[in-house]
Amino acid sequence: MLIEVFAGTSDENPVFEELPARQLDTETYELLSSPGLALNMARGDVISIEDRNTHAVVLERGGNFCIHIYADHIPAEDIAGLESDVGCDLGGTLDGVFQGNLSLAVPAGNGMDKINEFFDRFRDRTGIQWYYANIYQNLDDDDDETLLNWWLED
């Protein structure tokens, strides 16, 4: 099934992203794909959507980092190479492609150092920046870089 998750606002109006999910309860879902717009979620997370006009609440982490890559254009061969390399080197998946925007799920068990090195090589080769999308506490303040540290918990 597809669900709509709150991704932010544009001109004071809410913006939603459709994501594949498995319904667990009335307002509870397991994400089957990492979002490309919405923050603080990744494939495998269990979320609650009580108020559709605000950020979903993550009830349980699925163990994946969500990586966002935004560009005006990414050549198809770079996308295919990244998808293959993410799968082989990190056990991750390319979950979404929309024009030059990509969302990926990468198991946190790889460790941030290995993930950073991998995506920094992609950036150095292509000139395209990448971002962690589910590591910050304050989703509404781009300047607040307080980490959630969910990947450090046992």
Side-chain angles (χ1 to χ4, degrees):
M1 79 179 304
L2 290 176
I3 61 170
E4 285 190 339
V5 296
F6 178 81
T9 57
S10 177
D11 298 327
E12 306 287 326
N13 295 312
V15 175
F16 300 97
E17 180 175 6
E18 280 190 345
L19 293 173
R22 182 171 62 95
Q23 188 165 13
L24 303 176
D25 202 345
T26 306
E27 300 165 340
T28 307
Y29 306 88
E30 178 186 5
L31 295 180
L32 302 178
S33 179
S34 290
L37 290 174
L39 300 175
N40 194 34
M41 297 176 276
R43 181 176 40 81
D45 287 354
V46 175
I47 64 168
S48 173
I49 303 174
E50 292 181 22
D51 178 356
R52 72 180 301 267
N53 291 315
T54 190
H55 298 287
V57 175
V58 177
L59 302 175
E60 183 181 326
R61 296 283 175 185
N64 291 305
F65 285 117
C66 178
I67 306 292
H68 284 173
I69 296 175
Y70 301 116
D72 292 331
H73 174 75
I74 302 174
E77 58 272 12
D78 286 337
I79 294 172
L82 179 63
E83 180 176 22
S84 174
D85 292 347
V86 161
C88 291
D89 297 352
L90 301 173
T93 56
L94 175 61
D95 287 359
V97 178
F98 178 74
Q99 298 171 352
N101 304 321
L102 309 177
S103 64
L104 301 103
V106 177
N110 286 292
M112 288 185 103
D113 289 342
K114 182 176 180 180
I115 295 168
N116 291 346
E117 288 174 18
F118 177 92
F119 284 101
D120 285 349
R121 282 193 310 271
F122 173 81
R123 180 202 60 217
D124 294 346
R125 190 178 77 257
T126 64
I128 300 170
Q129 189 55 267
W130 63 278
Y131 309 91
Y132 286 101
N134 64 333
I135 66 169
Y136 300 109
Q137 282 186 17
N138 191 344
L139 304 179
D140 297 316
D141 183 353
D142 293 338
D143 295 326
D144 184 349
E145 294 185 356
T146 305
L147 298 176
L148 288 165
N149 290 326
W150 60 261
W151 55 94
L152 301 177
E153 299 171 8
D154 290 293

